[in-house]
Amino acid sequence: MKIVVTVKLVPDPNAEKRIDPATKRLVRTGVETVLNPYDEYALEAALQIKEKVGGDSTVTVFSMAPESLKETLRKALAMGADDAVLLTDAGLEGSDVWASSYAIAHALKKQPFDLLIVGGLTDDGSTGAVPGALAEYLGLPLVTNARKAEVVEGKLQIERETDTGYQIVHGPLPCVITTALTFGEPRYASLKGIMGAKKKTIATLGLSDLGLDQPVGTAGSKTELLGFAPPAARGKGRIVEAADGPSGAMAIFDFLKEKKLV
């Protein structure tokens, strides 16, 4: 079974984020780049499925990023992925969700797979729109919020998380799934895995390899950031002293009514 996991390389979630006022893009220089935390859950799901299926099953990590970040993918290889593919090209700079998904989908068409696993969100953008766009471009079914997944008699069986519980969903392969944060804690890279990752291959693709018939990058993007501002500083809280429970409840009700929340 051939499993592909998309991984985005993002600024360290614990670092302070800044937007360049000239380009209106997230400043990525001077900040450590890491694997998108949500994608680590997707990778864990892929490794678990590979272990259950066994045989000659493989897990390939796919990422779209600058060439300078190529070695950052070694962490995914150290966690257990077999190899990696990096789509990198200066012409991709400034791609929004639409342009990114379009380019990634065409690159994935050159990487035959039975199952594509995508993290539900990215720490830097958090649109949650890429998985659906990829499924649409690839012409494949999409199952979201998987917390368990296995292959039974050549078909996918997924337990997906919902707002009220969970569902059992069955689907054909190939398929696209996204993972919930309850799938399983991403494993740590062992010393053996880290050493072995140095020998694993990271292939590269460029736009010339894709044969796109529509522009990508800034020219091919359909969204534009017109302005931004930091959130207003939080003011001091209001302290209310109540003589008893009923009067305290009424004070809370009056406050909510004042804010037009009730």
Side-chain angles (χ1 to χ4, degrees):
M1 184 177 186
K2 177 71 172 176
I3 306 171
V4 174
V5 182
T6 58
V7 171
K8 189 173 185 181
L9 305 178
V10 300
D12 184 346
N14 296 315
E16 182 181 357
K17 308 296 191 301
R18 294 188 298 110
I19 301 292
D20 187 319
T23 64
K24 294 185 175 65
R25 296 180 188 170
L26 184 65
V27 176
R28 300 176 184 272
T29 56
V31 180
E32 182 183 2
T33 300
V34 299
L35 301 184
N36 175 44
Y38 295 92
D39 294 338
E40 291 191 20
Y41 286 86
L43 178 56
E44 176 61 29
L47 296 173
Q48 287 186 26
I49 294 171
K50 173 189 172 181
E51 291 165 355
K52 291 177 182 177
V53 174
D56 57 356
S57 298
T58 59
V59 173
T60 296
V61 169
F62 178 92
S63 186
M64 186 178 90
E67 174 76 21
S68 59
L69 299 180
K70 181 177 180 179
E71 291 303 309
T72 308
L73 289 174
R74 295 286 174 193
K75 179 182 178 181
L77 298 178
M79 290 171 66
D82 297 283
D83 55 14
V85 177
L86 177 68
L87 174 60
T88 181
D89 197 294
L92 291 164
E93 293 182 10
S95 293
D96 64 359
V97 169
W98 186 91
S100 296
S101 302
Y102 178 70
I104 292 172
H106 278 73
L108 289 172
K109 289 178 181 179
K110 297 183 176 295
Q111 312 292 323
F113 58 84
D114 301 296
L115 180 61
L116 175 64
I117 307 181
V118 187
L121 292 171
T122 56
D123 185 72
D124 54 354
S126 295
T127 65
V130 170
L134 288 179
E136 181 69 19
Y137 283 127
L138 293 168
L140 297 176
L142 168 67
V143 182
T144 59
N145 294 335
R147 71 175 191 175
K148 292 182 182 178
E150 58 182 326
V151 177
V152 180
E153 297 180 353
K155 294 183 178 180
L156 198 62
Q157 178 174 298
I158 293 176
E159 185 176 297
R160 66 179 300 270
E161 196 171 89
T162 71
D163 290 337
T164 57
Y166 66 90
Q167 300 175 318
I168 302 296
V169 179
H170 297 84
L173 295 172
C175 179
V176 182
I177 71 172
T178 70
T179 48
L181 299 184
T182 50
F183 202 103
E185 194 69 21
R187 64 194 65 188
Y188 288 100
S190 64
L191 178 59
K192 180 179 178 181
I194 294 172
M195 298 304 293
K198 297 178 180 180
K199 300 177 182 179
K200 295 179 180 178
T201 60
I202 302 178
T204 57
L205 292 172
L207 288 178
S208 61
D209 299 309
L210 306 187
L212 303 181
D213 55 9
Q214 297 181 40
V216 291
T218 303
S221 296
K222 297 181 180 294
T223 57
E224 180 184 359
L225 177 62
L226 299 179
F228 62 93
R234 179 177 295 181
K236 293 183 178 180
R238 182 187 301 179
I239 299 176
V240 177
E241 295 183 2
D244 51 36
S247 59
M250 182 56 68
I252 294 174
F253 177 79
D254 290 340
F255 174 79
L256 294 175
K257 187 176 181 180
E258 176 188 330
K259 299 297 181 181
K260 297 181 179 181
L261 296 175
V262 294

